[in-house]
Amino acid sequence: MVTTRHIKPEPDTQRGRWIAAWLLLWTASVVIIGIWVIDRSQQQTAQRLQSQTTEQAERIRDRIEADLEILRALPMVLAAQVNARQLLLERLRNPADIAQNAGLNAHYARIAAMIGVDTIFLADSAGEIVAGHSFTTSNPQGVVGENTSDREYFAEAKAGQLGEQFAIAKLSRLPSVFFSAPVIENDVFIGAVVVKATTKRMRALLDVGGGARVLLIDAQDVVIAATDNNDYLRRAAATQPLNDAVDLRYGSATPDTNPIVFVEGRSYGNVRTQMTTAGNGPYIKSTTQLNDERWTVCLMLGTEPIGKVTRQWRLALLLAWLVGALLVLLVIRSVRHVHDLDRLANIDVLSGLGNRRHYDSIVGSLSDAHDRGRIQHVALALFDLDNFKLVNDEHGHSTGDRVIKQFAEHLAKSTRRMDYLFRLGGDEFAALILELTPSAAEQAVQGIQARLRMATDDDPKLPAPSVSIGLAYHQRGESPDAFYRRADKAMYKAKDGGRNQFHVAASDAAPEATPKTP
């Protein structure tokens, strides 16, 4: 049920509050949903990257293991060849003669080119190189004559084992991986075949593209190959720097003693990023060991995809907020437009009171409420301005309009906020008075008439203002039309009684009261 006496336009301040409230609600919704969506997307992207790094690390591990099988098997095959044993046995008989090694040098050169290794050489039991594929006519010595007895791969071969070592090559000064196999004659160690592959070959095995950094770490936690040699090669991948004990293994040039230390970074669900203490990262890191557990593959993938998906969602949420804000403004504007249309459809423009259409709507609602016992008293007062036609005829319609406005203002000031006021047409007005007993309602109507009598107009030519009033009380079960007819009939009796009077309509069971003059 409407709670205002007549329709008023919605204040701009109230409309502004509604807009601000809806925009605030929409902004809060976008922020809350955005935080959840971005967090969820970051977690999903991080999990995908984690799975990707794990798969790539395992794929690199398989490639390296396949290549290592070739490199480990090659010195074993060469050590079993008769020409190597013959050369070593001849070396034992004639240590000073190396010219006869040219055929073996060429043989090793062909194998090295076919397999793709850097160097193949043969060392005697004392560690001195007696043949190598780098031997040429222009460079008759090459690696021949160098001593490898201080290298771990030779010591392992001398012990009858397969040797494997990352070290700095004495001649090229390049980080290299050495593989060795002993040459045995009648259960006696007579020399070793060594295959050398620089980390360039290993680096090619590590490259997976996509901006990933991959490290190959040996059992002593030293990086022996890396996709970015400048940053990580020969550095310790451990929390403690290397000590002098590694000199024998890695050659005269000791590995970088500044270790690569990883620290935990931001977490995305169950995926935690890592950074190096040098400031590199953040990375999503996966490690996997080769089957013999001597080497480890460490793959580090940058978190740029997480940042990218975050930026994309932020942009999408910003666009969603803008679209939502525009929709909120359009909806509020549409509601405002509908409200204005409804107000214009229910208001009398001249007086500012409700019109006949609004009266029909309200009186129906109030009659129904009274029938259901939700309202105890409903009274209808009909007002008819006396001599209004004379005012229009003698003073013009503009003066008549002014009289209408003045009476509407007088009626609004003389009634309560809970009552409903209407201009039904011409000089006829109506008031629906709520919750007043018959005697109180009559006193209220008399007050309206008395105060109108005391009102004056600036134009002395106008007749003194007066109004004839018909008053009726709604009876339960009575239709709105019957209710109106009784009040209208009472109003005409007041006019017939001499005007400037009010008349109370009788109920169907009681005689009508006589007109009363305040």
Side-chain angles (χ1 to χ4, degrees), residues 477-493:
E478 185 179 30
S479 68
D481 289 341
F483 186 29
Y484 175 82
R485 285 195 299 269
R486 290 197 300 113
D488 187 60
K489 184 178 180 180
M491 182 190 68
Y492 276 101
K493 285 188 176 293

Side-chain angles (χ1 to χ4, degrees), residues 20 33 92-93 148 219 229 277-278 299 339 380 382 396 425 455 474 492 505:
I33 295 174
L92 292 175
R93 290 190 294 269
T148 63
N229 286 344
T277 51
L299 189 145
H339 178 272
L380 172 60
L382 293 181
H474 184 262
Y492 276 101

Side-chain angles (χ1 to χ4, degrees), residues 30-106:
V30 170
V31 170
I32 293 173
I33 295 174
I35 291 174
W36 182 84
V37 168
I38 290 176
D39 182 69
R40 184 68 175 172
S41 300
Q42 288 175 340
Q43 291 185 32
Q44 291 176 344
T45 305
Q47 290 171 356
R48 178 176 57 81
L49 293 176
Q50 185 72 74
S51 300
Q52 181 179 340
T53 58
T54 302
E55 292 174 1
Q56 289 179 340
E58 292 175 350
R59 193 159 54 245
I60 292 171
R61 177 200 63 194
D62 295 340
R63 287 209 304 257
I64 291 176
E65 286 183 338
D67 193 68
L68 288 179
E69 289 299 318
I70 297 174
L71 296 177
R72 289 167 180 161
L74 182 58
M76 293 174 58
V77 173
L78 297 178
Q81 291 181 343
V82 176
N83 53 1
R85 290 199 304 272
Q86 288 178 344
L87 178 61
L88 291 175
L89 291 173
E90 181 63 29
R91 173 71 172 172
L92 292 175
R93 290 190 294 269
N94 187 8
D97 186 10
I98 62 172
Q100 58 184 329
N101 302 349
L104 188 59
N105 293 339

